[in-house]
Amino acid sequence: MNRNKERGVALIMAIILVLLMSVMAVSLTFIARAETWSSMNYRLLSQARDAAEGGIDTTANYLMITYSLPGTVGDPLTGYNMNVTPVQSPSGNTSGHDVILSAISGTSSNYPISSVQSAFNANGAGKGSFSAGTTTLNYATSAKLLSMQTITPFGSPTAVTIPSWEITSAATVAGVQTAAEQVTAVLERNIVPTFTYAAFATDNGCSALQFGGGGHTDSYLSGGAMSGGHPVTANSSGNIGTNGNLATNGNPTVINGSLSTPRAGTGSCSAGNVTAWTASNGTVTGGLIELPQAVVYPTPTIPAPGTLDLASNGNCPALVGCTKSGNIITLDPSASGGTMALRDITMNANKDLHLKAGIYNINTLKQVGNTALILDTTPVIINVTGNGGGTVVDLSGGSVTNPSATFDPMSFQILYAGTDTISLKGGNNSVGLLYAPNATFSFAGNADWYGAVIGKNMTDMGGTGIHYDRRLRDNAYTAGPYMLSSFTWNKY
């Protein structure tokens, strides 16, 4: 066998092996480089998206907190066409154009107030930057006014403007190649009914709501079907709510509706373990609804009371609109422009107080003995200051008679901003609303209350039936919290 012919094979094999190794090394280098670039691109795009979302949050905070809503002397609502979506400028150089605030290069800002444009273009409002290690993330935003309307919230004399904005945030992150992301979201504030429950207690602890002794809820429709001079009630929609716990006992204690609360579970309640419902007896026909968060009711704005007292067994004070006939005292705010201011109103035994339609700004209202509070005409709105503490409204000593033929609870309203005590008493014709989100209140007597009540703590241990008017969902409103929604993301 001639071995000379095999000389150099090892060299050729070594060369092939080196070539293969080189190809593999080059391939691994390209793969590592591609992975590095891919990771870096992902990191840059993620940082750009985070920066864009940060721009959305920063601009939303500016619009919710710093920005002054239209409706002032310097920025009247007449400067906006609110009958179209998006809102447009009705006059001037921007007539027929969408109303836009912008700090994005290439997107024009045409907001009618130049000082607002300048404030939006400042760092920390419509533009800014964030630091991520050694990397700087830049963002710029624009805000288009989608819609705008005004309401006067229940318990406030002042109208508020409710806007809806479309916010666009463009963010960039510098690198070997600049990463850019754009995020769009809608900032809106809903208008929500104030009275959505027959009774609501804002306290977040145990026994925030207490029903016993036959206390119950149901519902009716004001202006609807009547039977025996009273509305026909339904064993449904008598919903109740609390930020804390419901305690029921006694038989038959029936909530003809649901219980809404951020709390969960049933059983014994303690400070460290606040359950939704503690029941030694009673029924909630609609079951439990777990709220995503606590419900916050705005504190009402209460005007200052007057300086004169009124006791129904005495003579009228030196007050226009006060008349006395025998054991009856009548107050008529129409004689003084629709509003009457008194300090303390005390109704003594066997004496009646008649109120005519209007607004009453008072300090306290108390019944002593067998007396009657009679509404001759409606609506009657009582704003209670409650200076001095104690029981600031006490209607447990008599009855409240509301002649509203439709049993409309808007016809009689009691509003109180303080933290003291209110005591109510139902009756065959007790129709009204109690709005006292910081106060403790209770019902006395085995009677009826047509309408709704809101307080901090509520006790109904005397068998009072609270009949919720379903029409309240369309009558009294509150401006709800701002919410961000409708997020979209894209590269640009």
Side-chain angles (χ1 to χ4, degrees), residues 31 83 124 127 130 133 165 172 208 216 219 252 286 296 326 350 362-363 365 374 456 468 480 488:
I31 291 173
N83 297 319
K127 63 182 180 181
F130 304 101
W165 296 89
T172 58
H216 61 280
S219 70
V296 178
N350 300 316
I362 65 172
N363 185 50
L365 172 62
I374 301 170
K456 183 178 180 181
Y468 173 71
T488 57

Side-chain angles (χ1 to χ4, degrees), residues 395-411:
L395 300 181
S396 61
S399 62
V400 177
T401 301
N402 186 337
S404 173
T406 63
F407 279 72
D408 179 7
M410 296 292 290
S411 62

